[in-house]
Amino acid sequence: MNVTQLSVFLENKPGRLQNTLRILYENNINIIALTISETSDYGVLRMIVNDPDKAQQVLKAENITSRMTDVLAIEIDDRPGSLYRVIDTFSRKDMNIEYMYAFPGKKDSKSVMIFRFDNIEAAKNALAAEGYTIVKKIDLIGE
Amino acid sequence: MIFNKEFELMPEKKMKELQLERIKRTVHHAYNNCPFYKKKYDAAGFHPDQLKTLGDLRRIPFQMKQEMRDNYPFGLFAVPLSKVVRVHSSSGTTGNATVVGYTKNDIDVFAEVVARSLAAAGADENDIVQVGFGYGLFTGGLGLHYGSERLGAMTVPISAGNTDRQLMLIKDYGTTVLVCTPSFALNIADYIEKKRPDYDIRATKLRIGVFGAEPWSESMRREIEARLGIKAYDIYGLSEVIGPGVSSECSEKSGLHVNEDHFYVEIIDPETGEVLPEGEKGEIVYTSLTKEAFPNIRYRSRDITRLYHDGCKCGRTLVKMDKVTGRSDDMLIIRGVNVFPSQIEDVLMAVEGTEPHYQIIVDRKNALDELEVMVEVNERLFSDEVKVLDAFKNRISDRFRSTIGISAKITLVEPMTIARSEGKAKRVIDRRKI
C-alpha cells in the first residue's frame, strides 16, 4: 500500500500558508511530513497527514484546491551514503524522480524518505529487488 | 500644409452632393457585386434605387462586425479576388478574425488619406518619416508607409519595437516625424531617461509625432510633447473602414477632420440605432464612399465620439470628430491590438482542461500596456508537480501569442479569489489611466 500525499495550491503571498494550516489545525489534522515548492506567483504545499480524506474535505469546504497522490516512502539507514545508494538504484534503472523530501521523525535508527515518481510501481519493484523496506501508510502515520 | 485642397477645402454643400453621388454608387456596387448585400437588403425590403437623399441612408440596415466574422475570410468582398491586391486582418481565431481587402484603387485611397493626415500634422516632402507601427496584417505599418511615400517624404520602415534602433535612426538619419502608438512614444521617453541619459532627443531633428492605434488623452499628449520635445498629433482609423487616416488632427490639435469625401459618417444612439443630430455624442457609423473591394455601408464601429463643424482655423471644411473616448462594446485596445474578452475566453477554453474562472487585468507600466490573466486553479487543473502547472501556464500564453498576437502574463490564483458580482465574475479590470 502506498502512502497518500495531499498537495495544496497556494498563492505566493502572506497569509496563505497560515490559512491552510489553521483549517487543518481546527479540524484536528496532524501533519506528519511536508515540503513546499514555490514559484514567483504560487506554491505547492505537499504533506503527509494522518487523515488525508478528511483534510481534503475540510480544505475544499474553504475553497482550497488540493489533490491526493500516491508517493513512495522508503526506509533507509541513518548513515553516510545510504541516500546515495537509493538514488543510485533509480539512476541505474533510468528512473526519474519528480521530487523527494525527508520525513522528519526517526524510526529506530532509520530515516524515511518520500519519493514521487510517475510510475510508482516500477520504482517500488526496483527497490524491493534490492532489499529496501517500503514503508506502509500505517507505519508512517503511527496508528 | 493641406495635401488635397480640392477636397479638404470643399464647401459643405458641394461635399454633401459628392457624398450622395458616391453613396449611391457604393450601395449599388455592393448590391450588384456581393451576394451577401443583395440577400440582406432584399430581406430588409430595401433597394439601392430608393436612395434619393442622404437621409434615405437610414433605411439601410447597419453593417456589423459579426457579419465580417460570419463571412470570413472573403465573403463580404464586392470584387473578384483577381482585383484584390492586398488584405489586412485583425487578430483572432477562425470565426473571430476579420479580413479586409483592397483593390489597387483602394490602396490609392488609403495612401491619399494617410498623406493628408501627415500633411495636416505639418509634414511635407522634405521630412523623414520613421514608421514605428508594426508592418504586417495590422494596417498601421503599411498604411503609414504608403501614405508617407505618397506625401513624398523619405520613409523609414523600421516597424514597431526595438527602442535602441529607433533612437539610433532618429539621430543618424535625422528623422523629423515619428509615427507609432502613443504608449510606445512614452516608452521611448522612459527608455531615454533610464537607459540612455547621454541621448539628447532635443538635439535631434525630431519635431513631429503622429500617434494612433490606441486611445490617448490630452494629458498623455502634454507628457509626450514635453518629454520628447515634439508636437504630437492624433491619427485615427479602423481596419474595417480602411486603417489609419479615416480622420486626423490638424495644426489646431482640437478634433480630428474626417476625410468625408471617402467616408460618410453618422452618429447614432448605440442602444436604439437612431441617428443623432450633429454635435451629440454617440457611436460613429461609417459608410465608405470610394472603396471597391470591401465596401462599408453603415458600419457600426462601436467607437464613441461626436461630430461638429467649428470653422476650423486650419481652413479645412471637413467635419470634425472628437478624440474617441470610449466604446459601446467591451473591446480593449492593448498595445494597439484590438482584443475582445470573448477572445480571451476562447483561448482559455481551448487550452485543454480549462473552464476556469478568470479575470483580465490591463495595466500600463512604464508606458506600455500589460495584460495579466488571472486563472483560478480548480481541482481539475491542479497538479502536485510544478512542471505540470508551469506547462499549463505556458500553453495559455503561447496560445495568446499565436491567436491574439499579444503576450500575456498568466497568474494562477486560488479558487474564489476573483471577485464575483451577482454570481458572475467581473471579467475585465482596466487600470490604465489614459
Side-chain angles (χ1 to χ4, degrees):
Chain A
M1 197 179 166
N2 301 317
V3 171
T4 303
Q5 169 190 271
L6 187 70
S7 307
V8 176
F9 179 80
L10 296 175
E11 281 177 51
N12 191 354
K13 58 186 189 192
R16 303 315 303 154
L17 175 61
Q18 185 206 15
N19 183 50
T20 295
L21 295 180
R22 176 187 56 78
I23 296 163
L24 295 179
Y25 158 58
E26 286 172 359
N27 289 280
N28 203 27
I29 306 280
N30 193 30
I31 301 168
I32 318 286
L34 95 164
T35 179
I36 296 180
S37 162
E38 94 285 1
T39 71
S40 57
D41 56 338
Y42 68 90
V44 179
L45 165 66
R46 304 169 185 132
M47 302 176 283
I48 311 292
V49 297
N50 61 343
D51 189 345
D53 290 319
K54 182 180 171 194
Q56 184 164 48
Q57 193 192 328
V58 297
L59 290 172
K60 193 183 169 73
E62 302 230 19
N63 297 312
I64 292 173
T65 300
S66 65
R67 182 193 185 99
M68 291 207 255
T69 329
D70 280 354
V71 290
L72 192 56
I74 298 156
E75 218 172 62
I76 59 173
D77 293 334
D78 187 14
R79 59 185 162 85
S82 47
L83 180 58
Y84 164 76
R85 275 190 293 276
V86 178
I87 305 292
D88 181 57
T89 306
F90 297 140
S91 293
R92 277 187 279 110
K93 307 264 183 195
D94 203 23
M95 299 174 70
N96 193 40
I97 303 164
E98 297 301 334
Y99 56 79
M100 53 178 271
Y101 52 103
F103 174 78
K106 249 187 223 176
K107 291 180 81 247
D108 310 323
S109 63
K110 302 276 191 179
S111 285
V112 175
M113 292 297 301
I114 314 278
F115 291 92
R116 165 76 155 96
F117 287 94
D118 263 347
N119 186 345
I120 191 167
E121 293 308 316
K124 225 179 342 191
N125 294 338
L127 288 173
E130 304 213 359
Y132 285 95
T133 307
I134 313 291
V135 182
K136 293 189 176 59
K137 192 178 279 183
I138 310 292
D139 299 340
L140 200 61
I141 295 167
E143 280 173 3
Chain B
M1 180 199 153
I2 292 173
F3 185 76
N4 191 331
K5 292 197 169 81
E6 184 191 348
F7 293 100
E8 294 182 75
L9 302 181
M10 186 174 271
E12 225 180 301
K13 188 167 170 289
K14 205 174 161 202
M15 178 62 80
K16 293 267 183 272
E17 288 164 14
L18 178 75
Q19 287 176 326
L20 178 60
E21 176 203 319
R22 290 183 168 182
I23 283 177
K24 285 181 185 167
R25 204 167 60 199
T26 298
V27 175
H28 273 102
H29 168 60
Y31 186 83
N32 295 334
N33 297 308
C34 179
F36 171 84
Y37 290 101
K38 183 171 190 318
K39 203 172 148 197
K40 178 177 171 180
Y41 295 164
D42 285 350
F46 169 79
H47 189 275
D49 288 340
Q50 294 169 348
L51 268 175
K52 305 283 184 219
T53 68
L54 285 176
D56 293 335
L57 199 59
R58 295 176 194 200
R59 297 167 166 227
I60 307 182
F62 293 114
Q63 182 181 18
M64 314 298 279
K65 194 174 199 141
Q66 191 57 42
E67 293 170 353
M68 298 177 72
R69 293 174 174 151
D70 293 345
N71 293 281
Y72 173 88
F74 308 136
L76 297 188
F77 288 8
V79 298
L81 288 186
S82 59
K83 297 288 176 203
V84 175
V85 298
R86 192 197 294 173
V87 290
H88 283 290
S89 173
S90 70
S91 57
T93 47
T94 299
N96 225 328
T98 54
V99 182
V100 289
Y102 304 74
T103 63
K104 220 167 184 171
N105 195 47
D106 294 339
I107 294 290
D108 265 358
V109 170
F110 194 6
E112 157 87 20
V113 294
V114 173
R116 287 185 194 176
S117 303
L118 289 168
D124 62 26
E125 73 273 14
N126 299 308
D127 278 292
I128 299 177
V129 178
Q130 189 162 318
V131 181
F133 276 146
Y135 280 64
L137 286 170
F138 170 54
T139 49
L142 285 168
L144 263 294
H145 184 98
Y146 276 60
S148 171
E149 288 188 352
R150 172 66 56 88
L151 183 66
M154 184 173 121
T155 307
V156 185
I158 185 168
S159 197
N162 203 338
T163 312
D164 250 327
R165 174 171 282 184
Q166 301 273 0
L167 290 176
M168 183 179 93
L169 298 195
I170 288 170
K171 197 170 164 189
D172 294 356
Y173 292 0
T175 298
T176 53
V177 180
L178 174 66
V179 183
C180 60
T181 61
S183 58
F184 188 66
L186 275 181
N187 173 68
I188 290 177
D190 284 348
Y191 188 88
I192 294 171
E193 212 164 83
K194 285 189 193 114
K195 299 203 171 134
R196 296 288 305 277
D198 58 303
Y199 190 98
D200 185 1
I201 188 89
R202 286 165 192 279
T204 67
K205 292 185 175 148
L206 192 66
R207 62 187 184 93
I208 294 171
V210 175
F211 304 123
E214 289 175 343
W216 53 306
S217 60
E218 282 307 316
S219 65
M220 263 179 96
R221 185 198 321 260
R222 282 193 294 275
E223 190 182 345
I224 292 169
E225 290 188 334
R227 293 177 70 187
L228 293 180
I230 58 173
K231 286 193 157 132
Y233 300 89
D234 195 0
I235 184 168
Y236 164 90
L238 51 173
S239 65
E240 296 87 341
V241 174
I242 201 156
V246 170
S247 67
S248 62
E249 284 179 338
C250 62
S251 52
E252 303 308 306
K253 289 195 258 189
S254 72
L256 297 91
H257 288 284
V258 180
N259 284 306
E260 56 178 334
D261 52 325
H262 293 292
F263 314 107
Y264 180 78
V265 283
E266 302 167 275
I267 295 286
I268 61 160
D269 178 331
E271 299 295 324
T272 63
E274 185 195 339
V275 178
L276 300 176
E278 183 166 315
E280 280 192 33
K281 207 169 174 174
E283 179 181 331
I284 189 161
V285 170
Y286 293 95
T287 299
S288 66
L289 303 181
T290 48
K291 275 171 69 181
E292 298 169 340
F294 180 75
N296 305 105
I297 299 163
R298 306 197 84 203
Y299 176 71
R300 286 195 62 168
S301 68
R302 300 289 177 181
D303 281 337
I304 302 292
T305 184
R306 70 186 180 101
L307 296 172
Y308 58 97
H309 287 88
D310 65 352
C312 192
K313 282 189 197 126
C314 76
R316 286 176 184 79
T317 50
L318 298 174
V319 69
K320 280 171 128 180
M321 62 186 270
D322 276 342
K323 263 175 173 302
V324 170
T325 50
R327 302 269 309 167
S328 67
D329 62 8
D330 56 359
M331 189 181 88
L332 300 161
I333 301 176
I334 300 167
R335 275 174 251 141
V337 178
N338 298 347
V339 182
F340 287 91
S342 58
Q343 282 177 290
I344 296 179
E345 199 160 322
D346 286 346
V347 168
L348 293 172
M349 292 294 283
V351 174
E352 191 194 357
T354 6
E355 201 187 84
H357 274 287
Y358 67 93
Q359 190 165 52
I360 302 155
I361 296 174
V362 193
D363 209 343
R364 188 164 280 176
K365 282 178 190 148
N366 301 320
L368 280 182
D369 294 342
E370 283 188 1
L371 177 67
E372 181 180 8
V373 181
M374 304 211 301
V375 181
E376 285 188 359
V377 175
N378 57 28
E379 271 166 34
R380 211 151 42 98
L381 292 178
F382 181 51
S383 164
D384 60 310
E385 294 178 71
V386 168
K387 73 173 182 194
V388 175
L389 292 168
D390 277 349
F392 168 70
K393 276 171 64 167
N394 291 337
R395 275 207 306 280
I396 299 178
S397 70
D398 286 350
R399 207 170 161 97
F400 259 94
R401 249 193 310 276
S402 61
T403 62
I404 303 181
I406 52 172
S407 55
K409 180 183 189 297
I410 312 298
T411 305
L412 301 181
V413 299
E414 292 172 28
M416 303 304 286
T417 50
I418 292 170
R420 282 151 173 83
S421 50
E422 290 162 12
K424 210 173 175 234
K426 187 164 166 34
R427 295 298 192 199
V428 183
I429 295 181
D430 196 342
R431 291 193 185 133
R432 293 175 293 184
K433 289 180 186 68
I434 294 167

